[in-house]
Amino acid sequence: MQRHLFYSLLKNGTEEAFRASIRQNEGDLRSQLHSEQVLTVSLFQNGSNVCLYLETELDNFHWDWPDAYADWLEAWPCEQESRLSVPMIDIFHDGVPTDPESWRGNRQVEDRVGCIARLKPDMAASYIYYHYQMQEERPESFNKTYIIGAHGTLLFSYREHPASVSETKRAGKLSSQNTPANWQEVMEPHFDMWTDVPDNEKIWRSMERLL
């Protein structure tokens, strides 16, 4: 079982048309994802930014939007052909699933939350360093569903509420204990703050869940 994050960019002025299309074609989109053995999907949008969280049974999973969505989504040139979505790089995950049953079981999900943030370009290496250190020093320490992906300097985080931690935690790859206790204070200088949001969203800006 694998977890995946994808990023897409809406063309100028197409935000409402895209949301309307998702509402109208939700059944077809879910069927397409189900046919590719997607177990769970959450779709989020804020402005021109579109992010997806997927869980699949396939290790080598390659997905893209159906061609019909080219009316709204920008295309990226790739090695073989252009794409309407790009896989995001996993730079932090609190938990690692092994199979669907142990990952979800009877756990109730009350909310699925997606947020975006912007890294300062010269702070990207530091941010990844600190997060890998915490990931492997303190595996599954607060919410096993929490995951952060990156596309350039744009970050997307996904989590489910209520927070969940497994009874049996995996062993981390690091035996050190260097994760700073003043985590928020250390993290704040890494971000290019949002300026048109409430104070509690200046770093991590909430996205609207469409699916």
Side-chain angles (χ1 to χ4, degrees):
M1 180 181 170
Q2 296 290 325
R3 309 171 76 196
H4 309 270
L5 304 174
F6 288 89
Y7 176 74
S8 298
L9 183 67
L10 288 168
K11 297 176 181 178
N12 289 336
T14 65
E15 290 90 346
E16 183 52 43
F18 175 76
R19 288 194 293 269
S21 175
I22 294 297
R23 291 192 295 267
Q24 181 178 351
N25 301 304
E26 177 179 341
D28 291 340
L29 182 57
R30 286 187 181 277
S31 295
Q32 186 248 353
L33 291 164
H34 181 72
S35 70
E36 299 190 36
Q37 300 186 50
V38 172
L39 304 173
T40 297
V41 57
S42 290
L43 169 65
F44 301 90
Q45 181 255 333
N46 181 279
S48 61
N49 299 299
V50 175
C51 298
L52 286 96
Y53 169 83
L54 303 172
E55 294 175 2
T56 74
E57 295 184 277
L58 301 174
D59 291 339
N60 297 316
F61 178 73
H62 302 282
W63 178 82
D64 200 8
W65 290 94
D67 291 340
Y69 287 87
D71 289 343
W72 304 288
L73 298 172
E74 298 283 4
W76 274 276
C78 296
E79 292 182 1
Q80 296 180 344
E81 58 184 12
S82 62
R83 293 180 54 92
L84 300 177
S85 68
V86 288
M88 302 187 82
I89 299 172
D90 176 350
I91 60 173
F92 177 81
H93 49 263
D94 194 39
V96 178
T98 55
D99 61 84
E101 181 57 33
S102 63
W103 178 251
R104 295 213 165 264
N106 296 321
R107 176 167 58 88
Q108 298 297 312
V109 178
E110 297 178 2
D111 197 11
R112 302 168 189 265
V113 180
C115 298
I116 50 174
R118 299 179 298 187
L119 274 179
K120 294 176 181 177
D122 60 336
M123 298 295 285
S126 173
Y127 186 82
I128 294 171
Y129 164 79
Y130 277 117
H131 277 73
Y132 181 77
Q133 180 175 256
M134 182 172 72
Q135 174 183 292
E136 299 304 328
E137 287 184 350
R138 305 176 182 179
E140 203 167 318
S141 59
F142 63 99
N143 186 345
K144 71 178 186 180
T145 67
Y146 193 81
I147 185 171
I148 301 174
H151 175 67
T153 56
L154 187 134
L155 303 176
F156 168 58
S157 69
Y158 172 86
R159 66 186 187 276
E160 296 175 4
H161 291 300
S164 176
V165 177
S166 299
E167 295 181 2
T168 303
K169 301 180 182 181
R170 70 179 179 87
K173 297 179 181 179
L174 298 176
S175 58
S176 55
Q177 295 295 326
N178 296 322
T179 298
N182 58 335
W183 180 260
Q184 298 301 330
E185 181 182 343
V186 172
M187 286 299 105
E188 187 167 327
H190 290 77
F191 294 99
D192 181 10
M193 304 289 185
W194 302 103
T195 58
D196 55 344
V197 295
D199 288 343
N200 64 343
E201 292 194 0
K202 287 189 177 297
I203 293 179
W204 286 103
R205 182 172 190 162
S206 297
M207 306 184 79
E208 179 185 359
R209 180 157 55 92
L210 304 182
L211 191 68

